[in-house]
């Protein structure tokens, strides 16, 4: 499940223009997604422990950095999850501008958070966007765009579109592209279940990257043929673009698709993200109340409720600002995971690894360089974004420092260290 899908690509065109947007969409997965997938593929096959990434970092770098990994991942997830209700509202307001007035859009986003939290606490299993039939349904409007665009070659050069309020530049477009290509770690966790993983897994990941990249590039390339100005693009504008090409029905299809996609991905990720505070509580990293499970559904209801409050508080930050903070914090946690990969290769060379990043120790170190270079762009961008009268970078540094303070408090209260992982109640799937 890749984070944004075609519905999250509009700001890339606004910030970079058609040609550079396509180039960014083609290069980013090679420099950002594949290295991450390979790293997690090796670590998950060697250490298939509950808690995943923070368990790997804890083993390689110790308790302090294991705690920071869990903290960074948890905080980044707060901003990541707030993006989906924001996208839901962005597409809803394209059809019903009434929701743009006052706090109405924020209330709709809050409704999405509450609905998905209740569904997950009740243990209700809702079909997610990973279902094959739903994938085709959500992709159908963009297939229509690719088919119809050549028939309007240059016809939209002077099209009158809704004025945009986007301030995203090429750097912001790159960060949004990085967010759109997050999620490859979901596939990497099954590397050990693939026949001949050392050969099959890289080929499968390359094929997946090509398919996903085409789903982004083809609709944007097709629209470039129509002459529509890049400045007409902003989050949610696929709906207006579809209306220009195919009329009201295609516009409605894109709006509904965008809303279903955002709601479905949010709902599917609620349980995934709520497992992190649950696992942290079970290991003694958070108060034990976060480990409480609902009696009938076995859902971690306290963790879900706490996360939902965080998601709701971030709804007013806006799409671009949420993406910047998400990438920045996620990038720092990713840095620790790449460090764990290299350290474990050095310290535990005999550890069984059904899947290995090729190239020996050099390959394990080199694979982390491209993602870390891209992370530098998020640092530069965050210095120009404002959150509560401070730069996004300063705000992120406060959140990172809070993780250090939280560890020190945790260590002071439990000088013996984390509790050993014993029999843990299994939450609902």
């Amino acid at each position: 499940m890749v984070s944004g899908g075609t519905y999250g690509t509009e700001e890339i065109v606004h910030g970079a223009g058609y040609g550079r947007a396509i180039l960014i969409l083609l290069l980013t997965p090679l420099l950002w997604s594949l290295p991450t997938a390979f790293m997690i593929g090796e670590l998950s096959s060697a250490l298939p422990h509950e808690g995943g990434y923070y368990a790997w970092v804890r083993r390689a770098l110790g308790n302090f950095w294991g705690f920071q990994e869990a903290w960074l991942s948890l905080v980044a997830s707060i901003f990541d999850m707030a993006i989906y209700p924001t996208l839901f509202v962005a597409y809803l307001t394209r059809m019903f501008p009434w929701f743009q007035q006052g706090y109405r859009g924020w209330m709709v986003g809050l409704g999405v958070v509450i609905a998905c939290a209740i569904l997950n606490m009740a243990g209700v299993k809702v079909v997610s966007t990973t279902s094959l039939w739903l994938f085709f349904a959500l992709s159908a409007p963009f297939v229509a765009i690719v088919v119809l665009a050549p028939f309007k070659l240059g016809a939209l050069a002077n099209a009158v579109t809704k004025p945009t309020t986007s301030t995203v530049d090429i750097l912001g477009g790159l960060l949004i592209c990085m967010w759109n290509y997050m999620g490859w770690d979901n596939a990497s966790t099954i590397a050990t279940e693939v026949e001949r993983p050392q050969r099959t897994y890289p080929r499968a990941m390359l094929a997946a990257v090509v398919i996903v990249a085409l789903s982004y590039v083809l609709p944007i390339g097709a629209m470039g043929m129509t002459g529509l100005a890049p400045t007409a693009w902003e989050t949610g504008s696929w709906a207006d673009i579809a209306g220009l090409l195919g009329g009201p029905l295609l516009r409605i299809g894109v709006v509904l698709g965008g809303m279903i996609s955002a709601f479905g991905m949010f709902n599917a990720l609620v349980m995934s993200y709520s497992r992190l505070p649950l696992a942290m509580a079970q290991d003694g990293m958070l108060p034990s109340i976060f480990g409480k499970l609902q009696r009938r559904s076995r859902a971690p209801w306290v963790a879900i409720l706490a996360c939902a409050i965080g998601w709701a508080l971030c709804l007013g930050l806006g799409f671009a600002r949420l993406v910047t903070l998400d990438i920045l914090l996620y990038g720092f946690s990713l840095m620790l995971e790449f460090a764990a990969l290299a350290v474990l290769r050095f310290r535990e060379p005999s550890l069984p690894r059904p899947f290995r990043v090729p190239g020996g120790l050099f390959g394990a170190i080199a694979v982390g360089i491209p993602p870390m270079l891209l992370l530098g762009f998020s640092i530069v961008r965050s210095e120009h974004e404002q959150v509560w009268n401070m730069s996004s970078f300063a705000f992120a540094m406060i959140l990172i420092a809070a993780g250090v303070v939280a560890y020190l408090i945790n260590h002071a209260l439990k000088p013996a260290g984390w509790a050993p992982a014993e029999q843990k109640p299994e939450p609902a799937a």
Side-chain angles (χ1 to χ4, degrees), residues 61 155 245 359 377:
L61 305 176
L245 284 177
F377 289 110

Side-chain angles (χ1 to χ4, degrees), residues 28-350:
T28 299
L30 299 177
L31 301 175
W32 173 255
S33 305
L34 284 178
T36 302
F38 286 169
M39 174 269 293
I40 298 180
E42 175 170 324
L43 292 177
S44 62
S45 67
L47 301 170
H49 300 325
E50 185 174 354
Y53 32 80
Y54 96 80
W56 309 333
V57 174
R58 179 188 178 189
R59 176 161 174 164
L61 305 176
N63 284 354
F64 174 79
W65 290 113
F67 187 95
Q68 301 312 312
E69 170 69 16
W71 177 270
L72 288 168
S73 300
L74 181 61
V75 175
S77 74
I78 298 297
F79 298 104
D80 184 67
M81 287 294 279
I83 292 171
Y84 298 104
T86 301
L87 282 175
F88 183 95
V89 173
Y91 278 94
L92 176 66
T93 55
R94 291 289 165 167
M95 185 63 67
F96 302 104
W98 180 82
F99 286 102
Q100 288 180 314
Q101 301 175 20
Y103 291 97
R104 293 168 184 170
W106 184 87
M107 293 298 293
V108 171
L110 180 62
V112 171
V113 173
I114 293 173
C116 291
I118 292 174
L119 286 172
N120 276 269
M121 283 191 283
V124 177
K125 296 191 172 51
V126 179
V127 177
S128 73
T129 53
T130 55
S131 299
L132 188 59
W133 69 268
L134 192 55
F135 167 77
F136 286 124
L138 296 177
S139 300
F142 295 99
V143 173
I145 287 173
V146 172
V147 171
L148 293 173
F151 293 99
K152 294 202 174 185
L153 190 65
L156 301 182
N158 299 312
V160 178
T161 59
K162 178 182 177 181
T164 62
T165 58
S166 174
T167 58
V168 172
D169 55 12
I170 187 170
L171 194 54
L174 172 62
L175 297 189
I176 292 170
C177 183
M178 291 165 65
W179 177 75
N180 272 273
Y181 278 113
M182 286 167 54
W184 295 98
D185 49 335
N186 295 314
S188 65
T189 58
I190 61 170
T192 58
E193 301 175 30
V194 177
E195 184 179 354
R196 293 183 299 174
Q198 289 300 120
R199 179 180 179 184
T200 305
Y201 183 73
R203 291 183 178 183
M205 291 306 299
L206 283 170
V209 165
V210 170
I211 293 171
V212 173
L214 288 177
S215 73
Y216 295 166
V217 168
L218 289 179
I220 291 174
M223 286 308 306
M225 298 168 61
T226 68
L228 183 67
T231 53
W233 295 65
E234 65 176 349
T235 303
S237 63
W238 272 122
D240 297 338
I241 291 167
L244 292 172
L245 284 177
L249 287 180
L250 187 56
R251 184 169 185 263
I252 292 172
V254 169
V255 168
L256 292 177
M259 293 169 61
I260 293 171
S261 174
F263 186 94
M265 292 192 72
F266 184 89
N267 186 72
L269 288 170
V270 167
M271 185 59 69
S272 174
Y273 279 132
S274 63
R275 284 178 181 268
L276 184 54
L278 171 67
M280 292 170 71
Q282 290 171 341
D283 279 349
M285 297 167 62
L286 287 177
S288 59
I289 189 173
F290 288 95
K292 287 187 175 294
L293 303 179
Q294 209 279 337
R295 183 172 300 176
R296 295 182 62 184
S297 68
R298 309 300 294 168
W301 67 273
V302 175
I304 292 174
L305 181 61
C307 289
I309 293 173
W311 302 330
L313 291 174
C314 294
L315 289 177
L317 293 178
F319 179 72
R321 193 176 290 115
L322 286 170
V323 169
T324 300
L325 288 167
D326 183 21
I327 292 293
L328 184 61
L329 294 167
Y330 170 78
F332 279 107
S333 70
L334 199 63
M335 184 186 303
L336 291 177
E337 293 170 34
F338 279 111
L341 174 70
V343 169
L344 286 173
R345 278 286 191 96
F346 180 76
R347 288 183 179 174
E348 302 184 43
S350 60

